[in-house]
Amino acid sequence: NPWKPLLLLLSPPAFSTTCARCAKDRRLRQKRAISERQLTRCFVDQRKVRVVGGQGGGGGHSFHSEPRKEFGGPDGGNGGDGGHVIFKADQQMKSLSSVFPFYRGFHGERGGSKNCYGANGAHVYVKVPVGTLVKEDGEVVADLTEHGEEYIAAYGGAGGKGNRFFLSNENRAPKLFTPGEPGQERVLHLELKTTAHAGLVGFPNAGKSSLLRAISRAKPAVAAYPFTTLNPHVGIVHYQDYEQVAVADIPGLIRGAHQNRGLGMAFLRHIERCRFLLYVLDLSVPQPWTQLQDLKHELEAYGKGLSERPGVVIGNKIDLAQSRISLPLLREQVAERVIPLSALTGDNLEELLVHLRELYDTYVKTEQSRGHSPVKW
């Protein structure tokens, strides 16, 4: 059959969760090496922004002049209002790296003669990711959780009044006019809480970054030392029905993280927005079930009920000899489902992807039953 080679290329490969040869085929192509220092430019989760509203235009000062109409009266129009600075949530934005430290609204135009009003200044829209918190003096003033949601960060100043505004029976030729008011000025702190569907939670060097590289196109730095990942990374898992599940690689937690030890609470807040959690354990260490107990303790100490969210336990590094000994012991000590896999060789990744889709479908049905719209990527 001359079309057989083409059909073989188009047909999806048949993967197995147990066949070693098929698991070896799951090895991904080598990705371009990139350091964590370079990745810092790509993901920014905090920003200090100074915003100033546009200044209002001054009022006009003029008198009507026309042949054979000596006393035409005042005809100075009002000035235009200054433009606002508005934060707008956009689901296409994934980081605060594109947000500048200063924004100013456009000024309003001055009022003209013949009762012409000045034009209002244009508003300045600043696109921020969905899930951005806006804080002022440590207090939350806005939480942009929906696509298209807006928050006026700085109001523009009101336009001044022209001398036509002050015309009265007592004053038929007013010369008074007012300047435009300055715009509002504020210093705001933007804080991004990652709105991923799943969060990879684990101790340093548990293999979270390697797992995210294996199931998505994200490229977090991977190295043989702790705290390789210093910034959260979000990878997208694509399915054949075009559904996309976002998985966040949260930097490694340590004991006492809720007391701001290690990377501290700066990255625990990213777990708050995750709908379900993936606990990544290192099977090559003795008594790996203690890692799960410590992780849940840190999550519960940070936020009550955080450790009770739906999730699954992932036993990583199953390709090592010690891991095969620790796996049955882990299943005896842990009540949750345990998925053993190897992020390095790709062994048994299919079971994780199938279960990840089940968790996502359950989340979508739950949100729809409550009348809410689930987060889509």
Side-chain angles (χ1 to χ4, degrees):
N1 186 0
W3 300 100
K4 186 175 181 179
L6 182 59
L7 293 175
L8 290 176
L9 290 174
L10 295 178
S11 60
F15 294 123
S16 171
T17 59
T18 57
C19 178
R21 181 180 60 83
C22 294
K24 189 176 296 185
D25 293 339
R26 288 282 298 177
R27 293 174 185 254
L28 298 181
R29 298 184 301 273
Q30 290 294 328
K31 300 181 180 179
R32 182 171 59 90
I34 183 170
S35 66
E36 182 67 20
R37 183 177 181 181
Q38 293 172 307
L39 286 167
T40 305
R41 301 174 305 172
C42 305
F43 190 93
V44 177
D45 61 347
Q46 287 188 356
R47 207 51 131 189
K48 181 180 179 181
V49 183
R50 178 170 166 255
V51 289
V52 181
Q55 184 172 355
H61 174 257
S62 66
F63 289 88
H64 185 68
S65 176
E66 188 178 345
R68 296 182 299 276
K69 196 171 184 180
E70 183 178 356
F71 302 103
D75 64 351
N78 297 339
D81 297 333
H84 307 325
V85 179
I86 303 174
F87 292 147
K88 185 174 183 179
D90 190 343
Q91 63 184 5
Q92 300 296 328
M93 305 293 294
K94 305 302 179 185
S95 171
L96 294 173
S97 59
S98 60
V99 177
F100 295 108
F102 177 73
Y103 288 96
R104 182 191 293 273
F106 291 93
H107 301 321
E109 293 185 5
R110 184 179 183 86
S113 60
K114 299 182 182 179
N115 296 322
C116 291
Y117 282 35
N120 294 332
H123 303 318
V124 174
Y125 287 88
V126 182
K127 292 184 179 181
V128 296
V130 176
T132 300
L133 285 177
V134 183
K135 293 184 177 181
E136 185 177 21
D137 297 330
E139 296 184 1
V140 178
V141 295
D143 189 1
L144 306 177
T145 58
E146 299 290 337
H147 173 69
E149 191 174 356
E150 297 180 359
Y151 172 70
I152 301 179
Y155 286 90
K161 304 299 183 182
N163 62 339
R164 170 72 181 183
F165 178 82
F166 298 98
L167 177 65
S168 64
N169 291 333
E170 292 76 16
N171 188 2
R172 304 304 300 174
K175 298 181 179 180
L176 178 63
F177 64 98
T178 59
E181 296 182 1
Q184 184 183 15
E185 182 174 355
R186 302 170 72 185
V187 177
L188 302 175
H189 293 266
L190 303 184
E191 181 179 299
L192 176 60
K193 287 189 175 180
T194 307
T195 55
H197 299 118
L200 294 174
V201 184
F203 284 104
N205 275 24
K208 302 183 300 298
S209 299
S210 300
L211 181 59
L212 186 65
R213 292 171 67 101
I215 64 177
S216 70
R217 294 181 180 178
K219 295 182 287 187
V222 175
Y225 54 85
F227 295 108
T228 309
T229 304
L230 299 178
N231 297 277
H233 298 274
V234 180
I236 308 299
V237 180
H238 298 269
Y239 289 90
Q240 292 184 351
D241 57 351
Y242 302 106
E243 284 288 352
Q244 298 179 352
V245 180
V247 181
D249 174 18
I250 310 299
L253 305 179
I254 63 172
R255 294 178 181 88
H258 70 280
Q259 299 173 346
N260 216 19
R261 293 184 57 193
L263 296 179
M265 294 183 293
F267 300 107
L268 271 172
R269 68 174 181 269
H270 291 284
I271 307 177
E272 291 184 49
R273 298 287 175 90
C274 295
R275 274 59 182 180
F276 38 89
L277 303 177
L278 307 179
Y279 298 96
V280 182
L281 308 182
D282 185 357
L283 291 179
S284 63
V285 301
Q287 298 182 350
W289 54 87
T290 59
Q291 301 178 32
L292 181 63
Q293 298 171 0
D294 294 336
L295 288 173
K296 288 192 173 183
H297 172 73
E298 294 299 326
L299 294 179
E300 195 65 26
Y302 176 75
K304 190 177 176 83
L306 200 58
S307 63
E308 299 176 0
R309 293 192 178 180
V312 64
V313 177
I314 299 174
N316 194 18
K317 304 181 182 180
I318 194 62
D319 53 309
L320 302 179
Q322 179 62 34
S323 302
R324 301 184 182 275
I325 301 175
S326 303
L327 178 59
L329 301 177
L330 175 63
R331 284 175 167 163
E332 293 178 1
Q333 299 288 335
V334 174
E336 293 88 346
R337 177 179 178 179
V338 179
I339 299 179
L341 54 82
S342 174
L344 179 63
T345 63
D347 189 17
N348 209 27
L349 285 178
E350 295 81 12
E351 183 179 355
L352 172 61
L353 296 176
V354 171
H355 187 67
L356 183 64
R357 180 58 188 270
E358 293 175 357
L359 292 173
Y360 173 75
D361 292 339
T362 303
Y363 154 71
V364 171
K365 292 178 182 178
T366 303
E367 290 296 310
Q368 291 176 348
S369 63
R370 296 176 180 174
H372 302 157
S373 57
V375 176
K376 296 284 187 178
W377 281 69

